[in-house]
Amino acid sequence: MGAFEIRVHGIGDHDYYSALGRPKVKPMSGRSDVVMAPEAVGHPLKLVNWSRTSQGLSKGLLWYVAFPFTLVNTVGEMGRGEKRLRFAVAVVGVLLTISAAAWLIVFAESVLKVIPVPCDDRLVSRLIAGLIPLGLIIAIIARQSTETIEWVWLNVIALACFGVIVSVCQPAQFHYTGWLSRAGRFDAMTAVVLTTTAATFLIAAGLIAPKTNRREMAAAALLLDIAMVAMHSVSSMLRMSLDWIATWLSPLPPGETRTLEPEERSLMAYFDRTEPVSSRLDFVAVFSLVALLALLVALVVVLRFHIPRDKRKRAEYMHALVEKAPGLLAWVLVVATVVMTAGAGLLVLCADFLLTGGSRHWVIVFVNTLTGATALLIILRHRLPALRMVMGRSADIAAFWPVHSHPLAGASYRADALNAITDAVGTGHHVVLVGHSQGSILCAWWTNINTENAVHLVTCGSPLKSLYATYFPNYFSSEFFATVKAKSPSWANFWRPTDPIATAVRPAHNTTLDDHPDVLGHSGYWTDTTQTKWIKEHLTATPNTRPATGSCTI
């Protein structure tokens, strides 16, 4: 098989045959459907299937747990050589690592408050505070043995110091009656959350202060903020869930058996199993909601965000919004930070009111419902196409980059996907390599580093210019695009004005696809007749034949 087409799909976790096009489904009564299979392409075809995670629910969820570290790793690729960015990545990365260790300690202390321990409670608490950072250190060093990662020893030293300080000093036992105290003791974990979040926001503000490289620096600042907020909000929800499960499963009546008492814990502030709210940490999710609302307010104010009613106009508006957003992203971040700080300040002033319980159980019910709904959405993300698309697109961009800037980042799929493309190309000739969406990034990257087989390249629905060249200019530079063009006998790029992320990509030969009367947006490229005609002509062309270039070119 010498002449054939290779298709590489977009965001991961696709079915094996999704790159054949969307089948037409005729719903029937009961539990049956009639499905019209996509038409045969009429020539040899290979499909490259890739995914950002290993197969299985647990592997996928663990990848999302590592998502904050993966975002920091992505930020490290946005401005290679920028000193202020390197400093931000190093410091925020360490703050995330310390936060992860602190939350794991709190998880253990939350469970042990309803489980009897076999020896001295204070000794158990000290062991937990020391062994958990040690476990993270071992994981980081093991990761370093297989990949070259910056800042490894900085994270190791920070974890070692944190473990020693917490296990020896046990900050939650400091007698303190001022702000951030509960029952006469210091609320140590709340202090960790506030300190790491405030430091991250200050560092992010420093990134966007200079006027140089404002676009990628603003995006980097936003991702660092999101990483820290995600770390604390998700961890807060997990702590609450563990608290529920441990309390439900515990056979111990409250107050009748000694467990890990308030006087022995290292980070977890005073709590009582009989109280409706046991910790300020239960309200971290509310602060995260305030941050999300602040971001939405900033988008509306700065981008003058409005959604047209007409479907086509709405799609074209979203396309224009993605194009102009990079230039305004710094202002979005500034407005969002101001609004979030004001909202968080109001919540802090009302903290005692919220923690009194009693008739104000609606706050507790709201937080519990939010936590349960979020956990359920993450678990069922594969059955919710809209959520899967949002999570998938952001995750695929982050996971494209190998682990270089944080030792706890999620693994990259890029090397495996490139190897699969190499295997699919083999020794074929007249090969047309087609990549849709994120698949176009993989195909262009493969063409850039390819030294053997020259293949015709097709990119469709591609974010090469809108996302990658905008936010990763050191990699997707004019030299990169020139090299891809030079190494491919022909390079065609297909896009639509109704596709939010696709644009013309120069120096490729660009064709604007018409999706009237339907609004196809980011889908429907595999079966578009203009694109499939171009592929067929280049598969059958000989060196002495110049194939047609199609219509609607720009």
Side-chain angles (χ1 to χ4, degrees):
M1 184 167 60
F4 52 88
E5 176 188 0
I6 300 173
R7 295 182 180 180
V8 184
H9 64 68
I11 58 172
D13 301 321
H14 278 243
D15 296 328
Y16 282 119
Y17 301 107
S18 63
L20 295 178
R22 183 176 298 176
K24 296 180 180 179
V25 180
K26 180 182 180 182
M28 305 294 291
S29 59
R31 301 179 180 178
S32 301
D33 296 318
V34 174
V35 181
M36 298 296 294
E39 295 183 4
V41 298
H43 55 258
L45 174 66
K46 294 182 180 181
L47 306 178
V48 173
N49 187 279
W50 61 272
S51 173
R52 91 187 67 88
T53 63
S54 303
Q55 297 298 318
L57 181 63
S58 62
K59 292 291 185 181
L61 286 176
L62 287 176
W63 195 95
Y64 282 106
V65 169
F67 190 52
F69 307 111
T70 310
L71 287 180
V72 172
N73 185 72
T74 302
V75 171
E77 306 297 335
M78 285 185 166
R80 282 272 167 197
E82 283 276 353
K83 292 183 179 179
R84 55 192 168 122
L85 187 64
R86 285 173 55 83
F87 171 81
V89 168
V91 175
V92 175
V94 168
L95 292 177
L96 279 173
T97 303
I98 291 175
S99 297
W103 277 110
L104 289 172
I105 293 171
V106 168
F107 291 168
E109 292 180 344
S110 297
V111 172
L112 288 175
K113 73 175 185 178
V114 294
I115 297 176
V117 291
C119 58
D120 178 68
D121 293 345
R122 187 175 290 272
L123 175 62
V124 171
S125 182
R126 292 181 187 277
L127 286 174
I128 291 172
L131 291 178
I132 286 178
L134 178 61
L136 287 176
I137 289 174
I138 294 173
I140 288 174
I141 295 176
R143 186 77 174 273
Q144 172 69 3
S145 65
T146 58
E147 301 182 60
T148 303
I149 308 171
E150 291 185 296
W151 318 118
V152 166
W153 295 110
L154 184 61
N155 281 272
V156 167
I157 294 172
L159 278 173
C161 294
F162 180 76
V164 170
I165 291 172
V166 173
S167 60
V168 172
C169 299
Q170 292 191 296
Q173 300 311 314
F174 293 166
H175 290 280
Y176 175 69
T177 57
W179 190 58
L180 286 183
S181 66
R182 194 165 189 211
R185 285 185 172 82
F186 182 53
D187 193 343
M189 188 60 206
T190 301
V192 170
V193 173
L194 290 177
T195 302
T196 54
T197 303
T200 299
F201 275 74
L202 288 174
I203 292 171
L207 286 178
I208 63 174
K211 294 182 179 180
T212 57
N213 301 335
R214 182 66 68 85
R215 290 188 174 190
E216 57 265 35
M217 290 300 105
L222 179 61
L223 290 184
L224 291 178
D225 288 345
I226 291 175
M228 187 59 70
V229 171
M231 164 63 72
H232 291 313
S233 58
V234 173
S235 297
S236 171
M237 295 176 187
L238 289 175
R239 193 215 72 83
M240 194 184 303
S241 300
L242 288 173
D243 198 347
W244 295 344
I245 294 171
T247 301
W248 291 338
L249 297 180
S250 175
L252 305 177
E256 293 188 10
T257 305
R258 274 187 57 84
T259 56
L260 193 62
E261 296 298 321
E263 293 77 16
E264 283 91 28
R265 289 185 293 271
S266 299
L267 284 178
M268 188 73 179
Y270 180 86
F271 52 71
D272 187 334
R273 288 180 64 195
T274 61
E275 293 183 4
V277 178
S278 62
S279 172
R280 287 188 178 93
L281 301 177
D282 293 348
F283 292 97
V284 172
V286 177
F287 286 92
S288 302
L289 183 61
V290 170
L292 177 60
L293 292 175
L295 181 60
L296 294 177
V297 169
L299 289 173
V300 172
V301 171
V302 177
L303 300 180
R304 298 179 182 178
F305 190 82
H306 69 280
I307 301 179
R309 293 184 179 182
D310 179 74
K311 186 177 181 181
R312 180 169 298 278
K313 290 182 179 180
R314 182 165 63 247
E316 293 174 349
Y317 169 77
M318 294 304 298
H319 177 89
L321 189 66
V322 171
E323 284 191 326
K324 74 176 183 179
L328 299 173
L329 191 55
W331 286 110
V332 170
L333 190 58
V334 170
V335 174
T337 302
V338 171
V339 175
M340 188 205 68
T341 303
L346 289 175
L347 285 179
V348 170
L349 292 175
C350 299
D352 292 335
F353 172 82
L354 294 175
L355 287 171
T356 54
S359 61
R360 301 172 181 90
H361 285 171
W362 64 270
V363 178
I364 304 161
V365 172
F366 170 76
V367 175
N368 292 353
T369 303
L370 179 65
T371 299
T374 303
L376 185 63
L377 285 174
I378 294 175
I379 293 173
L380 298 179
R381 66 193 184 280
H382 292 291
R383 298 182 179 273
L384 300 171
L387 181 65
R388 176 182 175 181
M389 180 185 68
V390 173
M391 295 177 66
R393 286 181 180 176
S394 58
D396 285 342
I397 294 173
F400 177 78
W401 303 102
V403 181
H404 288 156
S405 300
H406 200 288
L408 295 177
S412 171
Y413 58 80
R414 190 174 78 188
D416 291 339
L418 295 177
N419 290 336
I421 294 174
T422 300
D423 183 74
V425 172
T427 57
H429 59 84
H430 286 122
V431 176
V432 178
L433 178 62
V434 187
H436 171 243
S437 188
Q438 189 69 12
S440 70
I441 309 300
L442 291 167
C443 292
W445 193 278
W446 182 89
T447 304
N448 178 61
I449 64 175
N450 174 48
T451 57
E452 297 181 3
N453 300 69
V455 302
H456 299 284
L457 178 63
V458 174
T459 53
C460 54
S462 177
L464 272 166
K465 286 287 188 180
S466 60
L467 298 180
Y468 283 84
T470 299
Y471 299 115
F472 305 95
N474 288 344
Y475 293 97
F476 293 86
S477 59
S478 57
E479 291 78 9
F480 170 88
F481 291 102
T483 302
V484 173
K485 175 66 174 178
K487 288 190 174 183
S488 179
S490 57
W491 178 12
N493 179 65
F494 298 89
W495 70 287
R496 301 188 187 96
T498 57
D499 188 333
I501 64 172
T503 63
V505 179
R506 291 178 174 84
H509 181 87
N510 291 284
T511 300
T512 307
L513 298 179
D514 183 9
D515 58 353
H516 286 80
D518 298 324
V519 180
L520 298 177
H522 195 58
S523 62
Y525 284 96
W526 298 124
T527 55
D528 187 279
T529 54
T530 302
Q531 179 173 311
T532 55
K533 179 182 178 182
W534 190 96
I535 294 171
K536 289 180 181 295
E537 290 173 346
H538 283 73
L539 279 175
T540 57
T542 65
N544 297 323
T545 302
R546 184 178 179 84
T549 58
S551 59
C552 303
T553 59
I554 61 172

